[in-house]
PDB file of all heavy atoms in Angstrom:
ATOM      1  N   ASP A 144       0.313  -5.692  -8.505  1.00  0.00           N
ATOM      2  CA  ASP A 144       1.529  -5.477  -7.717  1.00  0.00           C
ATOM      3  C   ASP A 144       1.224  -4.848  -6.366  1.00  0.00           C
ATOM      4  O   ASP A 144       1.901  -5.136  -5.375  1.00  0.00           O
ATOM      5  CB  ASP A 144       2.515  -4.591  -8.492  1.00  0.00           C
ATOM      6  CG  ASP A 144       3.103  -5.285  -9.703  1.00  0.00           C
ATOM      7  OD1 ASP A 144       3.283  -6.514  -9.636  1.00  0.00           O
ATOM      8  OD2 ASP A 144       3.373  -4.608 -10.709  1.00  0.00           O
ATOM      9  N   PHE A 145       0.232  -3.978  -6.316  1.00  0.00           N
ATOM     10  CA  PHE A 145      -0.118  -3.339  -5.046  1.00  0.00           C
ATOM     11  C   PHE A 145      -0.645  -4.374  -4.047  1.00  0.00           C
ATOM     12  O   PHE A 145      -0.360  -4.299  -2.857  1.00  0.00           O
ATOM     13  CB  PHE A 145      -1.168  -2.251  -5.270  1.00  0.00           C
ATOM     14  CG  PHE A 145      -0.644  -1.065  -6.037  1.00  0.00           C
ATOM     15  CD1 PHE A 145      -1.113  -0.783  -7.305  1.00  0.00           C
ATOM     16  CD2 PHE A 145       0.321  -0.238  -5.491  1.00  0.00           C
ATOM     17  CE1 PHE A 145      -0.641   0.308  -8.019  1.00  0.00           C
ATOM     18  CE2 PHE A 145       0.809   0.855  -6.195  1.00  0.00           C
ATOM     19  CZ  PHE A 145       0.332   1.125  -7.461  1.00  0.00           C
ATOM     20  N   TYR A 146      -1.404  -5.339  -4.540  1.00  0.00           N
ATOM     21  CA  TYR A 146      -1.931  -6.396  -3.667  1.00  0.00           C
ATOM     22  C   TYR A 146      -0.815  -7.359  -3.243  1.00  0.00           C
ATOM     23  O   TYR A 146      -0.780  -7.827  -2.102  1.00  0.00           O
ATOM     24  CB  TYR A 146      -3.063  -7.140  -4.376  1.00  0.00           C
ATOM     25  CG  TYR A 146      -4.272  -6.273  -4.600  1.00  0.00           C
ATOM     26  CD1 TYR A 146      -4.463  -5.608  -5.803  1.00  0.00           C
ATOM     27  CD2 TYR A 146      -5.209  -6.091  -3.589  1.00  0.00           C
ATOM     28  CE1 TYR A 146      -5.569  -4.784  -6.003  1.00  0.00           C
ATOM     29  CE2 TYR A 146      -6.322  -5.268  -3.782  1.00  0.00           C
ATOM     30  CZ  TYR A 146      -6.492  -4.613  -4.996  1.00  0.00           C
ATOM     31  OH  TYR A 146      -7.582  -3.800  -5.189  1.00  0.00           O
ATOM     32  N   LYS A 147       0.097  -7.649  -4.176  1.00  0.00           N
ATOM     33  CA  LYS A 147       1.256  -8.489  -3.832  1.00  0.00           C
ATOM     34  C   LYS A 147       2.103  -7.806  -2.755  1.00  0.00           C
ATOM     35  O   LYS A 147       2.523  -8.442  -1.781  1.00  0.00           O
ATOM     36  CB  LYS A 147       2.114  -8.737  -5.069  1.00  0.00           C
ATOM     37  CG  LYS A 147       1.481  -9.622  -6.121  1.00  0.00           C
ATOM     38  CD  LYS A 147       2.395  -9.724  -7.334  1.00  0.00           C
ATOM     39  CE  LYS A 147       1.754 -10.511  -8.468  1.00  0.00           C
ATOM     40  NZ  LYS A 147       2.619 -10.515  -9.686  1.00  0.00           N
ATOM     41  N   ALA A 148       2.355  -6.512  -2.948  1.00  0.00           N
ATOM     42  CA  ALA A 148       3.158  -5.762  -1.976  1.00  0.00           C
ATOM     43  C   ALA A 148       2.473  -5.736  -0.618  1.00  0.00           C
ATOM     44  O   ALA A 148       3.131  -5.866   0.421  1.00  0.00           O
ATOM     45  CB  ALA A 148       3.392  -4.338  -2.480  1.00  0.00           C
ATOM     46  N   GLY A 149       1.138  -5.602  -0.604  1.00  0.00           N
ATOM     47  CA  GLY A 149       0.403  -5.611   0.660  1.00  0.00           C
ATOM     48  C   GLY A 149       0.507  -6.942   1.370  1.00  0.00           C
ATOM     49  O   GLY A 149       0.687  -6.995   2.591  1.00  0.00           O
ATOM     50  N   GLY A 150       0.414  -8.041   0.620  1.00  0.00           N
ATOM     51  CA  GLY A 150       0.544  -9.368   1.220  1.00  0.00           C
ATOM     52  C   GLY A 150       1.934  -9.608   1.786  1.00  0.00           C
ATOM     53  O   GLY A 150       2.086 -10.137   2.897  1.00  0.00           O
ATOM     54  N   MET A 151       2.960  -9.228   1.026  1.00  0.00           N
ATOM     55  CA  MET A 151       4.343  -9.362   1.497  1.00  0.00           C
ATOM     56  C   MET A 151       4.550  -8.542   2.762  1.00  0.00           C
ATOM     57  O   MET A 151       5.187  -8.983   3.725  1.00  0.00           O
ATOM     58  CB  MET A 151       5.305  -8.904   0.395  1.00  0.00           C
ATOM     59  CG  MET A 151       5.314  -9.791  -0.835  1.00  0.00           C
ATOM     60  SD  MET A 151       6.019  -8.983  -2.299  1.00  0.00           S
ATOM     61  CE  MET A 151       7.692  -8.643  -1.740  1.00  0.00           C
ATOM     62  N   THR A 152       3.972  -7.350   2.774  1.00  0.00           N
ATOM     63  CA  THR A 152       4.097  -6.460   3.926  1.00  0.00           C
ATOM     64  C   THR A 152       3.430  -7.058   5.155  1.00  0.00           C
ATOM     65  O   THR A 152       3.985  -7.027   6.256  1.00  0.00           O
ATOM     66  CB  THR A 152       3.445  -5.099   3.596  1.00  0.00           C
ATOM     67  OG1 THR A 152       4.141  -4.502   2.499  1.00  0.00           O
ATOM     68  CG2 THR A 152       3.478  -4.176   4.788  1.00  0.00           C
ATOM     69  N   GLY A 153       2.228  -7.614   4.962  1.00  0.00           N
ATOM     70  CA  GLY A 153       1.515  -8.209   6.086  1.00  0.00           C
ATOM     71  C   GLY A 153       2.279  -9.346   6.728  1.00  0.00           C
ATOM     72  O   GLY A 153       2.308  -9.476   7.959  1.00  0.00           O
ATOM     73  N   PHE A 154       2.911 -10.178   5.899  1.00  0.00           N
ATOM     74  CA  PHE A 154       3.683 -11.303   6.416  1.00  0.00           C
ATOM     75  C   PHE A 154       4.853 -10.805   7.268  1.00  0.00           C
ATOM     76  O   PHE A 154       5.075 -11.275   8.391  1.00  0.00           O
ATOM     77  CB  PHE A 154       4.207 -12.156   5.261  1.00  0.00           C
ATOM     78  CG  PHE A 154       4.972 -13.371   5.700  1.00  0.00           C
ATOM     79  CD1 PHE A 154       4.322 -14.559   5.967  1.00  0.00           C
ATOM     80  CD2 PHE A 154       6.359 -13.323   5.864  1.00  0.00           C
ATOM     81  CE1 PHE A 154       5.027 -15.684   6.384  1.00  0.00           C
ATOM     82  CE2 PHE A 154       7.071 -14.429   6.285  1.00  0.00           C
ATOM     83  CZ  PHE A 154       6.398 -15.616   6.537  1.00  0.00           C
ATOM     84  N   VAL A 155       5.593  -9.840   6.740  1.00  0.00           N
ATOM     85  CA  VAL A 155       6.771  -9.326   7.457  1.00  0.00           C
ATOM     86  C   VAL A 155       6.351  -8.621   8.746  1.00  0.00           C
ATOM     87  O   VAL A 155       6.932  -8.847   9.812  1.00  0.00           O
ATOM     88  CB  VAL A 155       7.558  -8.351   6.549  1.00  0.00           C
ATOM     89  CG1 VAL A 155       8.657  -7.641   7.340  1.00  0.00           C
ATOM     90  CG2 VAL A 155       8.164  -9.103   5.369  1.00  0.00           C
ATOM     91  N   ALA A 156       5.326  -7.774   8.652  1.00  0.00           N
ATOM     92  CA  ALA A 156       4.915  -6.970   9.805  1.00  0.00           C
ATOM     93  C   ALA A 156       4.293  -7.798  10.919  1.00  0.00           C
ATOM     94  O   ALA A 156       4.220  -7.338  12.060  1.00  0.00           O
ATOM     95  CB  ALA A 156       3.942  -5.884   9.353  1.00  0.00           C
ATOM     96  N   ALA A 157       3.840  -9.017  10.620  1.00  0.00           N
ATOM     97  CA  ALA A 157       3.260  -9.871  11.659  1.00  0.00           C
ATOM     98  C   ALA A 157       4.256 -10.152  12.775  1.00  0.00           C
ATOM     99  O   ALA A 157       3.857 -10.360  13.932  1.00  0.00           O
ATOM    100  CB  ALA A 157       2.770 -11.183  11.045  1.00  0.00           C
ATOM    101  N   PHE A 158       5.534 -10.138  12.449  1.00  0.00           N
ATOM    102  CA  PHE A 158       6.551 -10.454  13.454  1.00  0.00           C
ATOM    103  C   PHE A 158       6.785  -9.298  14.420  1.00  0.00           C
ATOM    104  O   PHE A 158       7.370  -9.497  15.484  1.00  0.00           O
ATOM    105  CB  PHE A 158       7.860 -10.847  12.753  1.00  0.00           C
ATOM    106  CG  PHE A 158       7.771 -12.176  12.055  1.00  0.00           C
ATOM    107  CD1 PHE A 158       7.359 -12.256  10.727  1.00  0.00           C
ATOM    108  CD2 PHE A 158       8.067 -13.353  12.722  1.00  0.00           C
ATOM    109  CE1 PHE A 158       7.261 -13.485  10.085  1.00  0.00           C
ATOM    110  CE2 PHE A 158       7.962 -14.579  12.088  1.00  0.00           C
ATOM    111  CZ  PHE A 158       7.552 -14.644  10.766  1.00  0.00           C
ATOM    112  N   THR A 159       6.344  -8.107  14.058  1.00  0.00           N
ATOM    113  CA  THR A 159       6.389  -7.003  15.017  1.00  0.00           C
ATOM    114  C   THR A 159       5.018  -6.784  15.657  1.00  0.00           C
ATOM    115  O   THR A 159       4.918  -6.478  16.847  1.00  0.00           O
ATOM    116  CB  THR A 159       6.839  -5.691  14.344  1.00  0.00           C
ATOM    117  OG1 THR A 159       6.026  -5.428  13.186  1.00  0.00           O
ATOM    118  CG2 THR A 159       8.292  -5.769  13.929  1.00  0.00           C
TER     119      THR A 159
END
Side-chain angles (χ1 to χ4, degrees):
D144 291 327
F145 292 113
Y146 293 95
K147 291 177 185 176
M151 293 162 61
T152 298
F154 182 87
V155 171
F158 290 90
T159 53

